[in-house]
Amino acid sequence: MEPDPHQIVAALRAWAEGTDWVDWVELGGSLGRGAGDALSDVDAGIGVPGLTEDDPRIAAALDAATGFAPPAATLAQRLGDLTHLVCVYRDGRQLSLVVFDAAARNGLAPQSTAVADKSGRLAEPIDPARWTPDDGARREWAFLAWIALGDAARHASRGRPWRALGSLTEARDQLWRLHAADLGLTYPAFGAVTVENADAPAPHGVAATHPADLTRPALHGAIEALAALLDPYTGADLEPLAAAVRPRFELLRVDGGR
């Protein structure tokens, strides 16, 4: 029988309910939206009143996590104003726990489940429109995609195929974001993750943006394919940017594209 991640959720709930300084527990990811399976990670957040950057309760939360099952390794990451605690268990299950100041939540995030809610902060759902990108965000994604495409062509022309592939992937990630936003999906910033979780269609022709190998012709074809998919998202104010980047693609045609 495979280890059940729901057992980690149950252990987290029991610990939170018995710990007076944990106000709420929010379960996200596939388990939070009711689509998890035995391979799902436990993606959760806890709210701690009056949390400070070096708060000892952060270490206490990680220590508690190691007691939910025999641990293999742990990690504490600082992500801006948040702390991300990761505990991987010996049986392969994984807990990804973000520690928030309790006041950071004024409702339940979309596609999440309230595991514990002592003060009622998660009683009402947060409007998904909060995560809808405005025109500025969409422009930024398109802008960054074109910059990354230019970088991909530059690296490929210099014989740096792995750097080219990395930049091409960055550009494609931005395309996925734009596509998710176009479909009106919640959390479009997560790009391909959001699209696949929604069982929504991928951008038509996106497979052609992944090179079959790391040769210059293959990279060139993938770059051109991605540029074509970006065109519909390139507003009039970004057309000069696209025009400035495209000549780099021609560098890959030199000497027959070898």
Side-chain angles (χ1 to χ4, degrees):
M1 187 179 202
E2 290 189 72
D4 186 355
H6 290 93
Q7 294 171 346
I8 301 298
V9 177
L12 176 61
R13 176 189 291 111
W15 167 74
E17 289 176 345
T19 303
D20 59 6
W21 48 262
V22 177
D23 184 43
W24 50 262
V25 179
E26 182 180 74
L27 180 66
S30 58
L31 293 172
R33 65 177 189 277
D37 56 27
L39 298 177
S40 295
D41 295 334
V42 178
D43 298 304
I46 61 171
V48 178
L51 188 70
T52 59
E53 183 173 343
D54 298 319
D55 202 304
R57 292 174 293 182
I58 296 173
L62 183 57
D63 184 61
T66 63
F68 298 162
T74 64
L75 176 68
Q77 291 179 302
R78 192 68 186 173
L79 302 176
D81 296 332
L82 304 175
T83 300
H84 177 217
L85 306 177
V86 183
C87 186
V88 180
Y89 301 98
R90 293 180 186 174
D91 56 21
R93 290 178 294 179
Q94 178 176 310
L95 170 64
S96 177
L97 185 66
V98 179
V99 184
F100 295 85
D101 185 284
R105 273 286 184 268
N106 59 358
L108 183 66
Q111 302 176 9
S112 296
T113 298
V115 172
D117 187 17
K118 298 175 183 176
S119 63
R121 284 191 172 275
L122 307 183
E124 298 294 329
I126 299 175
D127 185 351
R130 175 173 170 178
W131 286 271
T132 300
D134 58 17
D135 290 344
R138 294 186 188 220
R139 180 186 185 278
E140 179 179 335
W141 294 344
F143 185 104
L144 294 175
W146 281 107
I147 294 296
L149 272 186
D151 289 344
R154 173 164 55 90
H155 295 319
S157 71
R158 290 175 173 172
R160 302 289 186 267
W162 289 107
R163 293 184 67 185
L165 183 62
S167 294
L168 182 60
T169 300
E170 289 177 22
R172 190 187 307 105
D173 287 345
Q174 302 296 346
L175 172 71
W176 277 105
R177 287 177 164 183
L178 291 162
H179 179 66
D182 225 25
L183 294 176
L185 301 177
T186 303
Y187 303 127
F190 293 138
V193 173
T194 292
V195 175
E196 291 196 333
N197 283 346
D199 292 324
H204 182 70
V206 72
T209 72
H210 194 288
D213 53 46
L214 295 181
T215 61
R216 286 176 60 162
L219 287 166
H220 181 230
I223 289 169
E224 290 280 12
L226 187 45
L229 292 182
L230 277 175
D231 277 338
Y233 300 107
T234 304
D237 69 318
L238 290 184
E239 287 178 1
L241 171 63
V245 168
R246 283 187 181 278
R248 288 192 175 185
F249 305 168
E250 299 305 309
L251 295 174
L252 302 181
R253 295 185 188 276
V254 177
D255 298 328
R258 290 195 300 272

